[in-house]
Amino acid sequence: MLATAERVHPAGALGPAEIVWHTPTDPDSCDGNCDLHTVACGEPGTSVPGGIRDVPEDLTEPGQRWCDACLAGGQQTA
């Protein structure tokens, strides 16, 4: 599933950032050099920098997870 990454730093900025994957609302406009992508979960003001890549729905990478709302929305449209 196409996704863009958000780095979420723990409270107090101690420890490594967690990568949260979001479904972008504009995947066709991405040229790989994008500064921002609005995301499907619809959180007000949430935009995510970076490109888009194919991420498995059953993501098992340590320190990475799907946004629950984006994953649920992507599964409904797939």
Side-chain angles (χ1 to χ4, degrees):
M1 201 158 74
L2 294 178
T4 190
E6 172 188 19
R7 291 188 186 279
V8 178
H9 296 279
L14 298 175
E18 178 182 44
I19 304 298
V20 179
W21 291 98
H22 292 275
T23 304
T25 59
D26 58 350
D28 294 335
S29 67
C30 182
D31 64 3
N33 294 313
C34 304
D35 291 329
L36 298 172
H37 285 286
T38 55
V39 293
C41 57
E43 293 184 31
T46 302
S47 293
V48 184
I52 294 175
R53 71 179 236 201
D54 195 15
V55 177
E57 291 181 31
D58 59 347
L59 183 64
T60 59
E61 296 292 325
Q64 298 184 32
R65 67 177 177 85
W66 272 98
C67 164
D68 292 333
C70 286
L71 182 59
Q75 290 173 337
Q76 291 172 0
T77 59

